[in-house]
Structure formats: structure tokens, C-alpha cells
């Protein structure tokens, strides 16, 4: 049984005569189907009579008539904007004629619209004017919204009084300013960065206090400070303790106590220390002296809720400044206002902590004597005065009685026995020179003090430098080599940078002995070994004394 062909199946399915007759295939050439004649009879070549392939009729090479188009060309509607002359045209006379795919020019087709379908110029002008009025109305609305936004921002920002100067604010890092925006998850009642740091400090402080309290040990601020700083790697001061007391007043009891046992050399037992005692919420009929983990969690939750309540107060004040004002119940508030900057909430003011009682400190010897006189009884004071009078009479009976408990004043003109025979003018010059030196020391700048210290080291450094050149046996050495040798040879430790500054000063003061030569990126030192070293050290010492005056 012969196999049924697919092409025959489609031919049998279609009713009526076939639209296109089968065509024979020409050997060595496959012409376009469009150029084949529709009425060409089927004739198979002799060589392909027994083949199963469908034979195609031979193409008529002499026929060059163009084939009809398979699809209708789509045309776009004319543009809505009118031309200057009022006519609507699809193609302009200046535009080139369209071309077909085979490169031949085809005639331009007339527009599809009839002349009666064109829109009048008056209707188009009215439509454009209406669009212009609508655009102007939208622009006016945008300007009104912008002005309202500026007014709201101006009202929300507190203005500085004219009489008070604006305080310089320290720029906060970006990870603190935008901390609330970087929180993962759904936006909620996020705390500012500084409030979260304070909550972490309270957690660390409560942990340290619970450990010391459960061991029945006196909790002092010194012990808590060291433990909190080790846990957080952040400074913990009394100001932070005051902030914790402001947020959670019933968490601790603070006192100033003495005679607290300490094991540090810097803290005396008699000094006042700030002690911390946790306040436990004991249930009625139950006595507990231990700070348990459940209580720590409860206290931490209370502290966090107090912080959120403080932020809610600032948020409520912000909502009252809006136009129109807004009021949201606190129990229904789940997130902050989008324009409320959480990280710019003001810091918590620290509460006052107990201070040690003031102790009177004696600064001068006269105050010590006055304090001792006040402590003596009248009879003891009278006895001391009588003793002074008797000793004064025994030592010099002719001299008048000096005042009790008073030493004779010493006149500046009196000269000790060691300076006997020395000229008074010489003493005056020495005293004047000493006063001038003290005045220069009091008015000396730090740069001058550093230069004088370097000048005092130069004589010894000059001897070390000469020994380095003698041991190296070279006329010139680099700065790095000389600094390394002198640092290892000098008696006191010094960095190579400081040693280089000393060598530059030495070359500045003694250019005939030490010279610096810059060759490319290196600096070379050249020394005059024929110079007298003792003369050089004397010159350096004289220069140091001259600048020290």
C-alpha cells in the first residue's frame, strides 16, 4: 500500500479546486513562486518520473510581470497638528518617493482620508487654547503645593532668637543620623541611635550590678564603670548614670559612702565613693535579696518602654506643629510620621547624683596656722604666749619684747655671712639676670622650648656624629644610615625622625663643618673631619646659653 502524502491530505481536505496548481521543479534552478504561471500544466521531467517528491512546473523565464501583493499596506492616520497653510497632508513634495524592496520606485499612493474629513482650523485653535488653560491650572496647583511644603518645614524647624547667637553643632556621623532608616523589617517605633546606646548601657550596668549584688559585695561606680567599658568597648561616665536615673528613677538608689573596702592604690578607704543599690520590686509576702534573670528582663523592658514614651512626647509636639495639626492616640501609634526625624530627638538630660560633702582644704601655711589657732583652747594659747616671752628674755635681755608667735621680718638688704665681702653691685646684676631668665621662661613658647632642648643635645650629638663618620671611613653618608647609627649610639632613646631634625639643626648652626646634599630622592651628609671638635662643642654651648636667656 502506497504511503499517503501530507500535501495530498491538505489538498483533499479543502473543498473546490486548488488555488495554486502544483508546479514542477526545474533542475539546478528554483525560481520564485510569484513568477510561475498559474495555468502551467503539470509535467514531470523524465529523470524524476519515479521519485516520490512533488514535481514543480518549469518557471516561465520570459515572464517578468510583478506578482500581486500578498498583504495590504497599513497606513498611519495624519498628524493632528495643522500645517502652516491650513492643509493636512500625509507626504510632503520635498520628501523622496518610497521605494520597494527590490529597489524600484513605486508611485505615491493618495491619502486615505477624504477632503471632507479634515478638521477646521478654528476647532484646532480652540482645542489648543483649552489645553493651554489646563496646563496653566496644573502649574498653579504645583506652585501652591510647593509653598505649603516650605511653610510646613519652616514651622516645624524652631527658629533661633535674634538676641542669642547660634550655637555651633557638632556634625553627627551618617550611621547615627540615618540609623532609623537603616533598620530592617517593617517601619515601627524605632528608637534613635543614642537612645539605643543608652539602653545597651543600662543592660550592661544591670548585669554588673546584679553580679556584685548577688555576691553581697558593695557596688561602687568604679567597679561598674570598668565592667561596662569592658562589655561595650565604649566610655561609661557618671553622666550616663544620670541619664539612666532620668529615664528609670526607681531602678537604683545612689549614695555617697566612706570606708568602703577597695583594692586599688589610687582610691583611699577614707575617700567618699558613689555606691549603687538596686531597688527590687518584691511581691507581698515574699522576701528575695537576689536579682534574678527574670527581674533583669523586666527591668530592661521597663527601661525600653520609658525611652519609647520620651520619643512619643517629641513626636506629639511635632504633630502639633503641622498644618493642620494632627493628634494620634499613643496606644494606637505604630510608626512615626514620615517627616519626623527620629535621630534628631534631643539628648536626655542627666539627673543629679549625690555628691561628696565639701571638705575644707588648706592651701597655704597661714591658713594652717589660723586653723590650729582656732583649735587651741584659751588657756593653751596663753601658756604658749608666756613660753615665747620667757625664751625671748633669756636669749636677748636688752632687746625689746617681740610680739608673741611672730617671727621678726627679714629685710632684703641684709646679707648673709657667706656673701660677706661681695660687691653689692655684682649681687644686683646677678639678681637682675636671674629675674630676666625667669621672665623669659614664663613667656617662652612651646616651639622655643623644643628648640632649646635640641640645642642642649647638640654637643654630645656632634661627638657621636664624628665617631660614625670615622668608623664608616666614607666622605659622605645617606641620612637614613646616619640616623640609624646615631639612634643606636645615643644614650637616650630617640626616633629616626627626631634624630633627622637634630642633624638639620646641626647643619644650620655649623655649615662649615656639616653640609647636606640632596641628590635625586636621597639626602647625603658630608663632614669636615679636619675641624676641631672642642671648638665646635664650645660654639654650640654658647649658642644654647644665648638663646636660653
Amino acid at each position: 500500500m502506497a504511503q499517503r502524502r501530507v500535501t495530498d491530505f491538505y489538498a483533499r481536505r479543502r473543498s473546490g479546486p486548488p488555488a495554486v496548481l502544483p508546479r514542477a521543479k526545474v533542475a539546478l534552478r528554483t525560481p520564485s513562486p510569484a513568477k510561475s504561471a498559474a495555468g502551467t500544466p503539470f509535467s514531470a521531467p523524465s529523470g524524476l518520473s519515479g521519485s516520490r517528491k512533488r514535481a514543480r512546473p518549469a518557471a516561465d523565464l520570459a515572464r517578468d510581470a510583478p506578482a500581486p501583493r500578498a498583504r495590504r499596506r497599513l497606513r498611519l492616520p495624519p498628524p493632528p497638528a495643522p500645517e502652516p497653510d491650513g492643509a493636512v497632508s500625509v507626504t510632503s513634495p520635498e520628501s523622496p518617493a518610497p521605494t520597494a524592496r527590490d529597489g524600484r520606485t513605486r508611485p505615491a499612493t493618495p491619502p486615505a482620508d477624504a477632503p471632507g474629513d479634515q478638521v477646521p482650523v478654528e476647532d484646532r485653535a480652540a482645542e489648543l487654547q483649552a489645553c493651554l488653560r489646563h496646563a496653566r491650572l496644573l502649574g498653579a496647583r504645583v506652585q501652591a503645593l510647593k509653598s505649603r511644603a516650605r511653610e510646613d518645614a519652616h514651622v516645624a524647624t524652631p527658629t533661633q532668637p535674634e538676641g542669642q547667637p547660634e550655637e555651633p553643632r557638632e556634625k553627627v556621623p551618617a550611621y547615627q543620623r540615618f540609623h532609623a532608616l537603616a533598620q530592617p523589617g517593617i517601619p515601627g517605633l524605632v528608637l534613635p541611635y543614642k537612645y539605643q546606646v543608652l539602653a545597651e548601657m543600662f543592660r550592661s550596668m544591670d548585669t554588673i550590678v546584679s553580679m556584685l549584688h548577688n555576691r553581697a559585695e558593695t557596688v561602687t561606680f568604679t567597679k561598674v564603670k570598668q565592667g561596662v567599658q569592658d562589655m561595650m568597648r565604649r566610655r561609661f561616665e557618671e553622666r550616663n548614670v544620670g541619664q539612666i536615673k532620668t529615664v528609670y528613677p526607681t531602678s537604683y538608689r545612689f549614695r555617697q559612702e566612706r570606708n568602703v573596702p577597695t583594692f586599688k592604690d589610687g582610691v583611699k578607704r577614707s575617700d567618699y565613693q558613689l555606691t549603687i543599690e538596686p531597688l527590687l520590686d518584691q511581691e507581698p509576702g515574699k522576701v528575695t535579696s537576689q536579682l534574678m534573670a527574670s527581674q533583669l528582663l523586666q527591668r530592661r523592658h521597663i527601661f525600653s518602654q520609658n525611652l519609647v514614651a520620651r520619643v512619643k512626647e517629641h513626636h506629639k509636639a511635632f504633630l502639633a506643629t503641622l498644618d493642620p495639626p494632627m493628634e494620634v492616640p499613643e496606644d494606637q501609634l505604630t510608626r512615626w510620621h514620615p517627616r519626623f526625624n527620629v535621630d534628631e530627638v534631643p539628648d536626655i538630660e542627666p539627673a543629679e547624683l549625690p555628691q561628696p560633702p565639701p571638705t575644707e582644704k588648706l592651701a597655704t601655711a597661714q591658713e594652717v596656722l589660723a586653723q590650729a589657732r582656732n583649735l587651741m583652747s584659751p588657756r593653751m594659747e596663753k601658756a604658749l604666749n608666756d613660753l615665747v616671752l620667757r625664751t625671748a628674755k633669756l636669749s636677748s635681755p636688752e632687746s625689746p619684747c617681740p610680739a608673741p608667735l611672730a617671727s621678726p621680718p627679714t629685710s632684703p638688704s641684709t646679707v648673709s655671712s657667706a656673701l660677706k665681702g661681695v660687691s653689692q653691685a655684682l649681687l644686683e646684676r646677678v639678681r637682675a639676670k636671674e629675674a630676666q631668665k625667669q621672665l623669659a621662661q614664663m613667656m617662652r613658647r612651646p616651639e622655643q622650648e623644643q628648640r632649646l632642648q635640641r640645642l642642649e643635645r647638640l654637643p654630645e650629638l656632634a661627638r657621636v656624629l664624628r665617631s660614625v663618620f670615622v668608623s664608616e671611613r666614607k666622605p659622605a653618608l645617606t641620612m637614613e644610615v646616619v640616623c640609624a647609627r646615631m639612634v643606636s649610639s645615643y644614650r637616650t632613646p630617640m626616633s629616626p625622625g627626631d634624630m633627622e631634625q637634630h642633624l638639620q639643626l646641626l647643619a644650620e648652626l655649623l655649615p662649615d663643618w656639616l653640609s647636606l646634599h640632596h641628590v635625586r630622592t636621597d639626602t647625603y651628609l658630608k663632614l669636615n673631619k679636619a675641624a676641631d671638635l672642642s671648638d665646635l662643642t664650645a660654639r654650640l654651648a654658647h649658642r644654647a646659653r644665648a638663646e636660653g636667656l
Side-chain angles (χ1 to χ4, degrees), residues 275-297:
T275 59
I276 305 172
E277 179 184 359
L279 298 178
L280 306 179
D281 298 331
Q282 300 180 359
E283 298 180 0
K286 186 177 180 181
V287 179
T288 57
S289 60
Q290 299 287 326
L291 194 58
M292 309 304 294
S294 59
Q295 295 176 338
L296 292 178
L297 292 175

Side-chain angles (χ1 to χ4, degrees), residues 220 222-223 256-275 361:
T220 62
T222 306
K223 301 176 184 178
Q256 288 285 345
E257 297 181 7
R258 299 175 63 180
N259 299 326
V260 178
T262 57
F263 305 95
K264 291 187 177 182
D265 298 335
V267 181
K268 298 181 180 179
R269 190 185 181 93
S270 59
D271 294 344
Y272 282 93
Q273 297 189 55
L274 180 64
T275 59
K361 295 184 179 180

Side-chain angles (χ1 to χ4, degrees), residues 224-242:
V224 174
K225 177 181 179 180
Q226 186 63 33
V228 173
Q229 290 184 162
D230 292 341
M231 291 179 65
M232 295 192 60
R233 303 297 180 184
R234 187 184 293 270
R235 295 186 60 182
F236 184 74
E237 301 174 349
E238 289 189 7
R239 180 178 179 274
N240 305 120
V241 179

Side-chain angles (χ1 to χ4, degrees), residues 505-516:
L505 182 59
L506 188 61
E508 178 186 350
L509 299 179
L510 301 176
D512 54 343
W513 181 62
L514 180 64
S515 57
L516 301 178

Side-chain angles (χ1 to χ4, degrees), residues 37-74:
T40 306
F42 175 76
S43 62
S46 60
L48 300 177
S49 59
S51 175
R52 290 186 178 182
K53 293 184 180 181
R54 183 178 59 182
R56 296 183 180 180
D60 190 2
L61 303 179
R63 188 173 181 179
D64 295 334
R69 296 179 182 176
R71 294 183 181 181
R72 187 177 180 181
R73 182 177 297 275
L74 298 178

